[in-house]
Amino acid sequence: MNEALPDVPEVRVVGLPQLTSGFDLVERLDLPMHLKVHGPLEPLGGEQLAQLSERINLKGRGGAGFPFHKKLRSVAEAAIKRGVRPVVVVNGSEDEPACRKDTVLINRAPHLILDGALLCAEAMGARTLVIGVTRESTQRSMEAALAERGLSNGRRSALRARVQRNPVRMVTGAAASLIRSIDGGPAIPPGRKVSASRSGVGGAPTLLSNAETFAQLAIAARIGPERYGNTGLYDEPGTVMLTVSGAVARPMVIEVPTGVPLRYVLQLAGAPPNPQGVLTGGYHGKWIDAATVDEAIVSRNSLQVVGGALGAGAILPISQDTCPLGESLRVAQWLAEESAGQCGPCYLGLPAAARGLEDILNGGGPAALEAVKQVAKNVKRRGACSHPDGSAMFLESTVKAFTDDLAAHVLGNGCGRPVEGVLPLFEGGKAPTGIPGGGGEENGPSRQKIYVDWTLCRGHGLCADILPEVFQLGADGFPTVAQADVPRFAEAKAVRAVRRCPALALRIEEDTRGQAPSSRTNLPVLSQGRGRRALGR
């Protein structure tokens, strides 16, 4: 089984380092060492920054790839039009088990990221800077970097700067989730999609971009667009930070110029010479097959042409000795667990898609395959964030890339190969523990059970409408389960289902078997005698 990646794995570089300059000297570049390695940085005007970003074709390195110069101009125009100061947000959330490049940059070169963010803040007149992180190591490093620069969140500070720590969850990295948490809400996307450039933190125009994006801007501002363009491809100049794991001898983060053959990157990490497939872009990315690997080069456009994706910069090969559908099923199950639990097509559709993929592996035949395709199609563009879209893209790519293996499972008795767990997931399939929502109390196994009293149930079906995570109705219109665990995120809805059951046929109890006495307050238990009074309140 592949172990979870450490926060800071081995770091390599192809060619001359840019973002990783100085990594051979120290483990972490504090401010004095940062200035020795990179030199001072002169401020630039807003339009100068926009023109620089446009000339080097800088795009967001968090996965979406939106042109940075368009975002910069949009925020500046909205701020001027409304007469308010914009906010700058660095998204350092990196909550995918296969991604570590932003974590490496924050831990080892935090001042390079701050350089880019402060350039933008000064150029636009921003008075608020927030760095969003999810790991203890990145929080420590960035807070230390702010202190080294004398930046704080004090009311009298010319620039109020702080670190926002959120739970380690896939949806936490969504821009809307980060903005919502900065404003004091939960780190999940709101139901309404609003452009951060127009209305972000506190309703102000907000420049939000990925940590590597700001670091790339700082490099370009120092060396200029001409020198920056001397590295990599003419239409995608510069370097790219990649996280290479999966079936490799040495998982690593590597800085490479665009245009380097993907095969060479895989060889550096000790990948199999003839991988069965390579997942590009991470768990919201796409598979490319073995024949395509030799055609691919490291660039957004090239990977897209061959059916892959640069995405968040994760590259994961698998060998010929493992079942690709089984490996993908583990990821699909993890993606389903990472739903925020608030959009029906996502929190119902993704588990259904994972079950469908499992049915294929268990000999479900062509019907199971069609079910997976239909579910993946149905969840797209129907969520508050990109999680269902990215997960559906992963599932569709899996079905498309491994046709021979798929045929063996759908039409035969399976491929006969084991599932080795080479695609990294967090320990136990969960996120690291340590903060609420990060795999600890809120995401742990539920101790609450909901029960159906069949002597009272009349098949009204309201429980399935309120709590579809637990209840589904059978052909007779009655729930298909008599008792079930209540997911942590659905506890409030479970209480609502109990209170609104017209027949008072539901109750909630805490399962304390094998558990130490808990200080956690039990969910309300509504007995038959108290139910009508509760409904009347």
Side-chain angles (χ1 to χ4, degrees):
M1 299 289 287
N2 198 323
E3 297 180 357
L5 292 173
D7 278 11
V8 183
E10 177 186 354
V11 180
R12 298 282 297 275
V13 61
V14 174
L16 295 177
Q18 290 188 358
L19 302 178
T20 58
S21 293
F23 282 22
D24 57 332
L25 303 175
V26 292
E27 284 300 310
R28 178 184 180 276
L29 279 74
D30 59 13
L31 185 56
M33 180 58 73
H34 168 74
L35 292 174
K36 287 180 181 179
V37 170
H38 293 284
L41 182 60
E42 297 296 325
L44 296 174
E47 183 56 29
Q48 287 178 296
L49 278 178
Q51 290 178 5
L52 172 64
S53 304
E54 188 171 10
R55 289 185 64 181
I56 66 173
N57 196 20
L58 180 61
K59 294 182 178 179
R61 302 299 176 90
F66 190 80
F68 189 77
H69 70 92
K70 292 184 178 180
K71 186 180 294 186
L72 192 62
R73 287 192 173 105
S74 178
V75 172
E77 290 170 1
I80 292 171
K81 183 178 181 180
R82 293 173 51 191
V84 297
R85 292 190 181 275
V87 176
V88 176
V89 176
V90 177
N91 192 347
S93 309
E94 194 171 40
D95 308 316
E96 195 173 314
C99 295
R100 290 296 183 277
K101 52 103 173 175
D102 287 327
T103 303
V104 163
L105 285 175
I106 295 174
N107 274 287
R108 301 197 62 181
H111 289 285
L112 199 60
I113 300 165
L114 285 179
D115 278 347
L118 292 172
L119 272 176
C120 296
E122 184 171 355
M124 296 190 301
R127 292 293 179 263
T128 302
L129 168 64
V130 183
I131 302 96
V133 300
T134 53
R135 302 172 187 274
E136 183 180 352
S137 64
T138 50
Q139 180 182 9
R140 286 199 309 265
S141 180
M142 193 54 77
E143 286 180 342
L146 292 177
E148 289 163 6
R149 289 181 181 248
L151 296 171
S152 73
N153 195 34
R155 291 185 177 181
R156 296 184 179 180
S157 301
L159 174 70
R160 298 184 64 175
R162 67 180 178 91
V163 176
Q164 171 76 22
R165 175 91 178 270
N166 285 331
V168 180
R169 293 290 309 277
M170 187 75 164
V171 295
T172 299
S177 300
L178 180 52
I179 290 173
R180 192 177 184 185
S181 70
I182 293 170
D183 282 338
I188 56 176
R192 187 168 56 97
K193 293 184 179 181
V194 178
S195 170
S197 299
R198 295 195 301 270
S199 179
V201 175
T206 299
L207 178 68
L208 185 150
S209 200
N210 164 265
E212 184 193 341
T213 312
F214 284 108
Q216 293 283 1
L217 180 65
I219 292 292
R222 277 187 168 88
I223 66 177
E226 290 78 14
R227 280 184 58 192
Y228 189 93
N230 289 337
T231 300
L233 301 170
Y234 77 94
D235 58 341
E236 291 184 50
T239 63
V240 174
M241 295 286 283
L242 303 174
T243 310
V244 188
S245 63
V248 298
R250 299 179 303 280
M252 63 177 61
V253 168
I254 181 169
E255 182 183 13
V256 300
T258 56
V260 168
L262 181 61
R263 172 70 69 181
Y264 181 66
V265 172
L266 294 173
Q267 289 173 350
L268 285 177
N274 186 30
Q276 183 175 186
V278 177
L279 180 58
T280 59
Y283 296 159
H284 277 180
K286 296 181 179 181
W287 289 98
I288 59 175
D289 57 31
T292 308
V293 171
D294 290 329
E295 304 173 20
I297 63 174
V298 177
S299 84
R300 188 176 302 277
N301 291 337
S302 171
L303 287 172
Q304 185 175 354
V305 166
V306 299
L310 180 61
I315 305 294
L316 302 104
I318 60 171
S319 71
Q320 298 283 349
D321 301 325
T322 187
C323 172
L325 297 186
E327 300 293 343
S328 297
L329 173 60
R330 295 177 65 248
V331 175
Q333 291 170 335
W334 179 80
L335 289 170
E337 291 173 353
E338 287 300 290
S339 169
Q342 59 180 0
C343 302
C346 180
Y347 73 75
L348 296 177
L350 296 186
R355 290 193 298 269
L357 190 56
E358 187 174 18
D359 287 344
I360 292 175
L361 285 164
N362 293 333
L369 174 59
E370 288 305 314
V372 170
K373 291 180 178 179
Q374 188 61 44
V375 171
K377 179 181 178 181
N378 289 343
V379 302
K380 287 189 292 187
R381 295 179 295 279
R382 298 178 68 193
C385 68
S386 62
H387 182 58
D389 297 39
S391 302
M393 182 167 67
F394 169 80
L395 287 163
E396 290 173 337
S397 175
T398 299
V399 170
K400 183 178 179 181
F402 303 109
T403 52
D404 291 345
D405 196 80
L406 193 66
H409 284 279
V410 171
L411 303 176
N413 296 319
C415 66
R417 287 172 290 184
V419 178
E420 299 177 344
V422 297
L423 301 180
L425 295 172
F426 294 126
E427 185 177 356
K430 298 290 185 181
T433 60
I435 52 178
E441 176 76 5
E442 295 303 318
N443 284 332
S446 175
R447 291 174 58 186
Q448 303 290 341
K449 286 183 176 293
I450 191 165
Y451 295 83
V452 178
D453 185 335
W454 294 115
T455 65
L456 297 174
C457 181
R458 295 295 179 263
H460 293 96
L462 199 60
C463 57
D465 290 336
I466 298 174
L467 194 62
E469 299 90 344
V470 172
F471 293 114
Q472 296 181 1
L473 301 182
D476 56 2
F478 285 83
T480 57
V481 296
Q483 65 181 52
D485 291 330
V486 178
R488 290 283 191 201
F489 65 81
E491 287 180 343
K493 290 199 288 184
V495 173
R496 196 181 316 134
V498 170
R499 288 175 173 168
R500 295 190 62 186
C501 176
L504 305 180
L506 301 177
R507 74 180 190 278
I508 297 174
E509 295 180 3
E510 183 172 5
D511 184 2
T512 58
R513 292 174 296 176
Q515 301 278 356
S518 174
S519 60
R520 181 181 175 91
T521 302
N522 288 354
L523 289 173
V525 178
L526 303 181
S527 66
Q528 297 177 30
R530 296 172 53 202
R532 296 189 185 277
R533 183 180 302 173
L535 285 170
R537 280 187 289 188

